[in-house]
Amino acid sequence: MAVTSCLIAYPLVFRPIAGRNYSTGRLIAASVIASIVALEIGALGVTSETELSGITSLPTPTFLAFMLPIHLAIGAVEGIATAAVLCFIARYRPETIYGYSRQRAANGKNPRKVIIGFVIGAIVFASAFTWIASSNPDGLEWSVAKTSGLSDLPSTVAPTAILPDYNSTFAGIIGATIVMIMLWAITTLLFHRMRPAHHNVKK
């Protein structure tokens, strides 16, 4: 999921469609199309990996016939949600969209407060709404159930899993916290490695 979204859909689909000006129409189109592409490639990848694993009897054509349409719908909904967030940010905090250094040089604003605000908001939403998460199967589970003809799939979760089948209210909070810590660590490392280059360019 991370590869198809960040390394394929974003550079090859989102950025060319969004362009350099990031108009509202371009942001919406880029978000929706890139999300659909990412989800469809991911669905194709899961189907291919399932076939190559050799440990399943699911018929690949039927499995793919269920996977692609359901993830097309999921991608469209995720794209609309992404577009709404990006349009909101572009309107009220454009410096986080149009480039940190360029906007800061222009008006002296620092997007750090905005980023911290989004992190706090994400934690609040994760804490408040995780407990009402849907118990219905996701796209993959639905596709497997339809392909196999089983309405109640047997659990394949390892007994030693920390959060088996995400059955804890805190699964989303823990996952979001781990992702944010990793994101902070990686970006901090990258910025520290880039600083000497920027200093040399200025000199």
Side-chain angles (χ1 to χ4, degrees):
M1 293 172 63
V3 170
T4 58
S5 299
C6 301
L7 302 183
I8 299 177
Y10 175 71
L12 301 181
V13 180
F14 180 88
R15 293 197 66 176
I17 296 176
R20 297 180 62 87
N21 296 326
Y22 287 172
S23 64
T24 300
R26 282 179 170 270
L27 275 180
I28 295 174
S31 299
V32 173
I33 296 174
S35 294
I36 291 175
V37 169
L39 267 291
E40 290 292 83
I41 296 176
L44 179 61
V46 168
T47 307
S48 302
E49 291 170 359
T50 302
E51 174 65 21
L52 294 174
S53 69
I55 59 174
T56 178
S57 59
L58 293 175
T60 300
T62 305
F63 189 28
L64 190 63
F66 283 113
M67 284 287 285
L68 292 181
I70 189 64
H71 284 89
L72 173 64
I74 295 172
V77 174
E78 291 188 359
I80 293 172
T82 301
V85 172
L86 290 179
C87 289
F88 176 83
I89 296 174
R91 179 175 180 180
Y92 293 101
R93 291 293 182 183
E95 65 271 17
T96 60
I97 294 289
Y98 297 121
Y100 173 77
S101 58
R102 185 178 69 180
Q103 192 69 18
R104 187 178 184 185
N107 55 25
K109 292 183 179 179
N110 190 333
R112 182 173 299 178
K113 293 181 179 180
V114 180
I115 296 173
I116 294 175
F118 272 100
V119 171
I120 294 174
I123 294 174
V124 170
F125 273 97
S127 303
F129 297 107
T130 300
W131 64 276
I132 61 172
S134 175
S135 59
N136 294 326
D138 59 18
L140 174 59
E141 293 171 336
W142 179 87
S143 300
V144 172
K146 290 293 184 180
T147 305
S148 63
L150 300 175
S151 58
D152 188 15
L153 297 176
S155 177
T156 58
V157 180
T160 56
I162 299 175
L163 298 171
D165 206 23
Y166 307 105
N167 62 0
S168 170
T169 303
F170 298 99
I173 301 174
I174 296 172
T177 302
I178 294 174
V179 170
M180 292 305 303
I181 291 174
M182 293 179 63
L183 180 62
W184 172 81
I186 293 172
T187 52
T188 301
L189 178 63
L190 290 176
F191 275 122
H192 278 296
R193 291 176 64 89
M194 292 171 61
R195 279 182 179 177
H198 288 307
H199 287 314
N200 292 334
V201 172
K202 290 181 180 180
K203 291 179 181 180

